[in-house]
Amino acid sequence: MQVAAVGMGTPAMATDFKREYEVPFPVLIDHTKETYRLVGLKRATLADAVKPQVLLRGAVALIKRGQALPQQDPAQLGGAIVVDPNGNIIFVHRARDAQDNAPVDALLEALP
């Protein structure tokens, strides 16, 4: 089994992310966001960005971690996919807002 993360930052940002969060797998960069388009990940609208729960969680993250403002596309939402060894997508989670992450249990259950 192989695991990788895909982000839209720079190689330096991927290296920093990997080090800061002690990520034990490759962190790949897709600055064109083609992967995001292929998986069908949406971009947030203004209405998505100003939902009270999104603003609150963002403010808490900023206070707790001193999180910097986004340096890439802040409207691009993320997601998670699991692809089996034959290239079939067997799990997809498309974020509905910036704080919507795939449940870890569902990701682990989907692993081949």
Side-chain angles (χ1 to χ4, degrees), residues 64-95:
K64 276 182 152 179
R65 297 186 302 181
Q67 187 174 351
L69 294 175
Q71 297 179 17
Q72 298 301 310
D73 182 353
Q76 179 63 60
L77 297 176
I81 65 170
V82 175
V83 181
D84 72 15
N86 297 319
N88 301 308
I89 295 174
I90 57 175
F91 175 86
V92 178
H93 174 84
R94 294 175 181 91

Side-chain angles (χ1 to χ4, degrees), residues 10-23 27 29:
T10 65
M13 292 167 79
T15 300
D16 290 346
F17 179 84
K18 203 171 155 58
R19 183 176 40 249
E20 181 179 347
Y21 294 100
E22 299 177 1
V23 176
V27 177
I29 298 301

Side-chain angles (χ1 to χ4, degrees), residues 42-49 74-77 96-98:
K42 74 175 199 165
R43 290 175 47 79
T45 64
L46 182 58
D48 294 325
Q76 179 63 60
L77 297 176
R96 294 174 301 236
D97 61 49

